[in-house]
């Protein structure tokens, strides 16, 4: 995780490889990379849509990029 005036808030994780063209879709409510299997602890696909809504409500913007190595995403929130 990085924070600071230029970086905003940046969080990276590892996990499944995310195809870069699907990243924008993950900001839509209930959108997930894989179909839901109803397993315990499984998310509903609301996380990034909530991050985006909070950022916009405060005059900021949320973006994400697929990590080339190790899978997962890097999400960045910048407040203007």
């Amino acid at each position: 995780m990085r924070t600071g005036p230029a970086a905003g808030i940046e969080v990276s994780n590892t996990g499944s490889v995310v195809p870069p063209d699907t990243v924008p879709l993950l900001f839509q409510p209930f959108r997930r990379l894989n179909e839901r299997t109803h397993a315990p602890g499984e998310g509903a696909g609301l996380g990034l849509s909530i991050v985006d809504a909070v950022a916009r409500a405060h005059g900021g913007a949320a973006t994400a990029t697929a990590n080339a190595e190790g899978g997962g995403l890097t999400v960045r929130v910048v407040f203007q």
Side-chain angles (χ1 to χ4, degrees), residues 15-73:
S16 300
V17 173
V18 179
D21 60 327
T22 65
V23 172
L25 302 175
L26 297 176
F27 283 95
Q28 297 175 4
F30 304 106
R31 185 62 74 117
R32 298 167 37 88
L33 180 60
N34 299 311
E35 290 296 317
R36 192 155 184 237
T37 61
H38 302 286
E42 190 174 49
L46 289 172
L48 288 177
S49 66
I50 292 170
V51 168
D52 185 51
V54 170
R56 285 186 289 115
H58 292 279
T63 59
T65 55
N67 296 335
E69 294 185 29
L73 292 172

Side-chain angles (χ1 to χ4, degrees), residues 1-13 23-24 26-27 47-56 59-67 72-80:
M1 179 165 76
R2 285 184 344 166
T3 63
I9 302 167
E10 184 176 283
V11 178
S12 291
N13 70 355
V23 172
L26 297 176
F27 283 95
L48 288 177
S49 66
I50 292 170
V51 168
D52 185 51
V54 170
R56 285 186 289 115
T63 59
T65 55
N67 296 335
L73 292 172
T74 296
V75 177
R76 184 176 186 197
V77 178
V78 176
F79 296 99
Q80 322 254 322

